[in-house]
Amino acid sequence: MKYIPFGQDDKELSEIVLGMMRISDKSVKEVEELVETALSVGINAFDLADIYGRGRCEELLGLVLKNRPDLREKMWIQSKCGIRIEEFTYFDFSKEYILQSVDGILERLQVDYLDSLLLHRPDALMEAEQVAEAFEILQKSGKVRDFGVSNQNPMMMELLKKEVKQPLSINQLQLSAAFTPGFESGFHVNMEGDKAALRDGSVFEYCKLNDMVIQAWSVLQFGYFKGNFVGNEKFQALNQVLDRLAFKYGVTPSTIAISWILRYPAKMQAVVGTTNPKHLREVSQATNFSLTRKEWYEIYLAAGNNLP
């Protein structure tokens, strides 16, 4: 396993993050086995959100930690807040809601602090002053050590940084070999056609420039939760390349797809949402090798992209 330095304590975080969005229907024993498997292969980073399973995912991990308090200091635990699910779904970055959310997260997890808190998606009604006040209270009280965002473009982050004193250490962004809009506009600068349209404000370049960790999510998905592209007949050319490289490196095609993400030269992490310990062991090998530049571009093109 490879690691990247992170946050105020320069903690070494694994390049693979165990995403725990899908554990809500698992037993406490199954979740404990998943956590132990992750730690055994060097994964020390765990990602949740208060809306995952309507809080049930955090509750399950909390029950594991109650039974196994020895695990807490081995784990870097991150959660997210800001999405409200009531009669309909909306976003809320108000000071009161952020503080209320963190108290709920800590209670469900049965821990005293979060290693990282992310604002979950953008809130157009965000008042940066309120976010700053909430972050200050959370940091001074010891409830949150580091902060970040998810799915935010550079100007949204600049608005936050105008008021927030703490560094924004992370941005969670959707990225996979079959989902690359963040790269397409860069390749097609000063050209005609839809792919030249800059829709995200060069967010990947911004994160690199500001030394932010990029946490890629939906790493094996195409579109917005449209399905897994590995082994999918809709992506025959891509899977032929993944299969060939999997044979070369002695790993699975999914592992190659995750290695493709980690090849991007930034502080990269891949959030892997599997609940299968065997699959988790397999994909953890993605950090054991690095694809060549030619292989990276071959995968990009096989996914249906083009270059000028």
Side-chain angles (χ1 to χ4, degrees):
M1 181 59 59
K2 291 181 181 177
Y3 299 86
I4 57 173
F6 171 82
Q8 62 177 351
D9 299 324
D10 280 331
K11 186 174 179 63
E12 294 289 304
L13 298 188
S14 54
E15 289 187 350
I16 303 293
V17 179
L18 178 58
M20 309 191 80
M21 183 175 75
R22 296 184 176 90
I23 66 168
S24 60
D25 63 346
K26 301 298 179 183
S27 67
V28 176
K29 183 179 180 180
E30 288 172 322
V31 175
E32 182 177 345
E33 181 186 2
L34 191 63
V35 170
E36 288 189 319
T37 299
L39 292 171
S40 73
V41 295
I43 298 171
N44 63 2
F46 300 81
D47 175 71
L48 297 123
D50 57 1
I51 63 164
Y52 292 169
R54 300 292 185 99
R56 180 58 179 165
C57 296
E58 291 171 336
E59 288 176 354
L60 281 166
L61 182 57
L63 291 171
V64 170
L65 294 174
K66 180 181 180 181
N67 295 337
R68 293 286 309 279
D70 57 299
L71 295 177
R72 176 63 184 101
E73 291 307 311
K74 301 175 184 178
M75 301 171 66
W76 178 89
I77 300 176
Q78 169 179 280
S79 195
K80 303 180 284 292
C81 72
I83 298 180
R84 301 187 70 152
I85 303 176
E86 297 176 358
E87 303 94 309
F88 53 87
T89 298
Y90 64 103
F91 307 129
D92 187 348
F93 288 178
S94 64
K95 172 185 174 182
E96 292 76 14
Y97 189 69
I98 292 172
L99 295 176
Q100 172 189 326
S101 297
V102 171
D103 284 343
I105 291 167
L106 296 178
E107 182 178 355
R108 289 188 291 274
L109 287 172
Q110 302 192 53
V111 298
D112 298 323
Y113 68 94
L114 282 175
D115 293 286
S116 176
L117 174 73
L118 305 188
L119 297 178
H120 207 173
R121 293 196 170 274
D123 174 14
L125 302 182
M126 176 188 74
E127 297 172 77
E129 299 88 346
Q130 290 202 22
V131 176
E133 290 176 12
F135 281 10
E136 193 72 7
I137 291 170
L138 292 170
Q139 187 178 59
K140 286 186 175 179
S141 65
K143 293 180 178 179
V144 178
R145 293 187 173 179
D146 287 287
F147 300 86
V149 298
S150 74
N151 308 289
Q152 292 201 15
N153 67 33
M155 288 309 297
M156 293 170 181
M157 289 182 275
E158 286 297 313
L159 283 171
L160 275 172
K161 288 162 69 173
K162 183 175 182 292
E163 303 294 338
V164 171
K165 296 178 182 178
Q166 294 77 13
L168 298 179
S169 301
I170 292 171
N171 195 0
Q172 277 196 352
L173 298 167
Q174 186 175 359
L175 177 65
S176 77
F179 186 91
T180 56
F183 295 159
E184 289 163 11
S185 59
F187 284 127
H188 292 82
V189 167
N190 195 37
M191 299 191 70
E192 297 177 333
D194 290 343
K195 289 189 175 183
L198 183 61
R199 296 184 174 90
D200 61 16
S202 299
V203 66
F204 283 87
E205 291 82 359
Y206 176 92
C207 290
K208 282 182 65 176
L209 185 65
N210 288 274
D211 203 30
M212 294 180 70
V213 174
I214 299 171
Q215 288 184 345
W217 57 273
S218 279
V219 292
L220 299 177
Q221 296 275 320
F222 65 96
Y224 185 65
F225 294 111
K226 290 185 177 180
N228 191 321
F229 59 82
V230 178
N232 191 319
E233 62 180 11
K234 294 180 181 179
F235 296 89
Q236 291 185 16
L238 174 58
N239 278 287
Q240 287 175 4
V241 175
L242 294 177
D243 289 345
R244 177 166 48 79
L245 292 175
F247 180 79
K248 172 186 173 180
Y249 287 100
V251 296
T252 65
S254 295
T255 305
I256 294 294
I258 293 170
S259 181
W260 183 87
I261 288 168
L262 299 177
R263 180 64 175 81
Y264 184 69
K267 282 187 175 181
M268 296 298 296
Q269 289 183 303
V271 182
V272 175
T274 184
T275 59
N276 184 316
K278 179 177 182 292
H279 187 226
L280 185 60
R281 292 188 192 97
E282 291 171 349
V283 298
S284 70
Q285 298 176 52
T287 73
N288 295 345
F289 61 94
S290 182
L291 295 173
T292 68
R293 186 181 298 265
K294 183 178 180 180
E295 289 167 345
W296 190 93
Y297 275 101
E298 186 178 13
I299 290 171
Y300 180 80
L301 293 170
N305 297 301
N306 59 48
L307 296 171

